[in-house]
């Protein structure tokens, strides 16, 4: 079953993943997005997904953004807490990838229904903005071309139905560009909520479309479809074939009712999450470098993770205590970094899922 989220519960937090106080954030967003200039295509207008401005990632419009958001440096954290640095040469080809990715970002605006267009090239490598979302997107591009629409997300006072209509329009455009190629469906936070409706209403009933679906990754929310049209990965299990993986990260000390997903669901909702920390031996967390702010891979940042009491509880390396404290700011909720904490694990899993799908088409 699917029910729209209770947006009233979200009014005390400006945007999913943004710890900034509501009032200041909303004032800035109103000033930036509310007023119309003559002849300008506003972010509140219906999106034209034939235009580059309405795509955060797109293999034709923005082919450089994937490689730009891949880490060029890795820090390996040793048992004694020392750090070994090495250069990385990882690259995801956006022309020869065997599958496609449709990625739905989480909330970036704090007021109404507005798409975060024309921001990426003007933003710094910090905050919960388009760059943060783009680095999350690269967790799913190890074997995929990336398509990530900038839809009119539902923030405070916004309509979820309107946002979903944009998502649906973007998905139809995605299908028109990808032919019969296999695809991965992924998102975070609000994006994951829209995935529920997209799967239930558009994908699952389509007998021609379902065989193309490689996998679903929908972290950062606490609902799913019952009965599920695909198997649900739980704990450390890795389901061969099409499956859905959901998780919500927090510290071992977190009280679920005070995390964002606990707050939005009244402490209820889906809780039998997957554990991406157990997906193989690859462990790597993608975070901004303290000095350059460019994305860096931290190997062994997460020592282990466990699904316990309705959360994916993350145990960090003792040497990373200060950095972990900055990620949750004392709130114990790691929602903004659901994907980033397990970036390398997810990339390896997606690569395996695409390979399995191609072998068994």
């Amino acid at each position: 079953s699917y029910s729209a989220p209770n947006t009233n519960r979200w009014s005390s937090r400006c945007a999913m993943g943004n710890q900034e106080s509501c009032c200041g954030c909303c004032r800035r967003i109103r000033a930036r997005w509310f007023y119309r200039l003559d002849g300008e295509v506003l972010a509140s207008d219906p999106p034209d997904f034939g235009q580059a401005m309405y795509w955060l990632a797109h293999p034709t419009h923005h082919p450089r953004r994937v490689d730009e958001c891949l880490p060029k440096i890795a820090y390996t954290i040793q048992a004694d807490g020392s750090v070994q640095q090495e250069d990385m040469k990882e690259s995801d080809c956006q022309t020869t990838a065997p599958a496609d990715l449709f990625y739905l970002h989480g909330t970036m605006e704090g007021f109404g229904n507005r798409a975060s267009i024309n921001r990426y090239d003007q933003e710094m490598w910090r905050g919960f903005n388009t760059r943060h979302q783009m680095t999350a997107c690269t967790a799913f591009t190890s074997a995929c071309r990336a398509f990530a629409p900038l839809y009119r997300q539902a923030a405070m006072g916004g309509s979820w139905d309107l946002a979903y209509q944009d998502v649906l329009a973007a998905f139809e455009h995605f299908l028109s560009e990808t032919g019969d190629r296999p695809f991965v469906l992924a998102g975070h936070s609000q994006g994951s909520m829209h995935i529920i409706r997209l799967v239930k209403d558009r994908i699952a009933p389509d007998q021609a479309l379902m065989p193309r679906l490689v996998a679903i990754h929908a972290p950062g929310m606490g609902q799913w479809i019952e009965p599920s049209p695909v198997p649900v990965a739980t704990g450390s299990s890795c389901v061969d074939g099409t499956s859905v993986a959901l998780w919500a990260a927090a510290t071992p000390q977190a009280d679920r009712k005070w995390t964002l997903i606990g707050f939005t669901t009244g402490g209820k909702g889906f809780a039998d999450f997957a554990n991406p920390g157990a997906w193989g031996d690859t462990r790597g967390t993608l975070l901004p470098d303290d000095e350059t702010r460019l994305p860096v891979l931290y190997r062994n940042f997460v020592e282990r993770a466990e699904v316990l009491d309705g959360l994916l509880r993350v145990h960090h390396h003792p040497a990373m205590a200060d950095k972990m404290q900055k990620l949750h700011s004392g709130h114990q909720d790691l929602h903004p970094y659901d994907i980033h904490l397990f970036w390398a694990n997810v990339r390896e899993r997606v690569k395996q899922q695409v390979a399995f799908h191609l072998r068994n088409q």
Side-chain angles (χ1 to χ4, degrees), residues 14-15 29 33 107-112 114-116 119 153 155-156:
C14 172
I29 288 167
W33 294 105
T107 311
M108 290 185 282
E109 304 301 335
F111 176 71
R114 300 184 182 276
S116 304
R119 287 177 50 171
Q153 61 220 263
M156 288 196 310

Side-chain angles (χ1 to χ4, degrees), residues 42-240:
L42 286 186
S44 58
D45 290 341
D48 175 4
F49 291 109
Q51 297 188 49
M53 73 171 72
Y54 286 106
W55 293 93
L56 174 61
H58 191 284
T60 302
H61 298 315
H62 310 297
R64 66 177 176 84
R65 289 185 181 175
V66 170
D67 273 350
E68 190 174 83
C69 291
L70 293 174
K72 305 301 185 288
I73 296 175
Y75 296 143
T76 301
I77 306 163
Q78 308 296 326
D80 62 0
S82 60
V83 177
Q84 180 179 343
Q85 178 178 329
E86 62 180 283
D87 293 334
M88 294 187 67
K89 297 181 180 180
E90 197 156 3
S91 178
D92 294 342
C93 184
Q94 293 296 283
T95 57
T96 61
D100 294 319
L101 164 72
F102 187 73
Y103 177 81
L104 294 173
H105 64 76
T107 311
M108 290 185 282
E109 304 301 335
F111 176 71
N113 287 97
R114 300 184 182 276
S116 304
I117 62 173
N118 295 334
R119 287 177 50 171
Y120 178 86
D121 291 319
Q122 282 73 48
E123 289 177 336
M124 303 295 291
W125 288 97
R126 57 185 171 81
F128 306 112
N129 51 27
T130 54
R131 297 231 175 211
H132 180 82
Q133 294 295 336
M134 190 63 218
T135 51
C137 179
T138 62
F140 307 97
T141 59
S142 55
C144 298
R145 300 187 304 173
F147 293 78
L150 291 168
Y151 59 97
R152 290 175 294 176
Q153 61 220 263
M156 288 196 310
S159 165
W160 279 76
D161 285 337
L162 188 150
Y164 174 72
Q165 291 307 312
D166 283 2
V167 167
L168 183 60
F171 184 68
E172 297 296 347
H173 190 92
F174 165 79
L175 293 179
S176 73
E177 292 198 45
T178 56
D180 59 355
R181 286 164 55 88
F183 69 94
V184 171
L185 186 61
H188 181 246
S189 194
Q190 178 176 163
S192 294
M193 294 299 301
H194 292 305
I195 281 176
I196 299 175
R197 192 169 175 182
L198 188 64
V199 171
K200 181 176 182 292
D201 294 348
R202 176 64 180 91
I203 299 176
D206 192 327
Q207 296 182 359
L209 199 52
M210 277 297 288
R212 293 173 51 193
L213 181 59
V214 175
I216 303 168
H217 293 264
M221 58 92 181
Q223 295 187 43
W224 188 240
I225 304 163
E226 295 181 4
S228 177
V230 296
V232 178
T234 58
S236 59
S237 67
C238 287
V239 180
D240 289 333

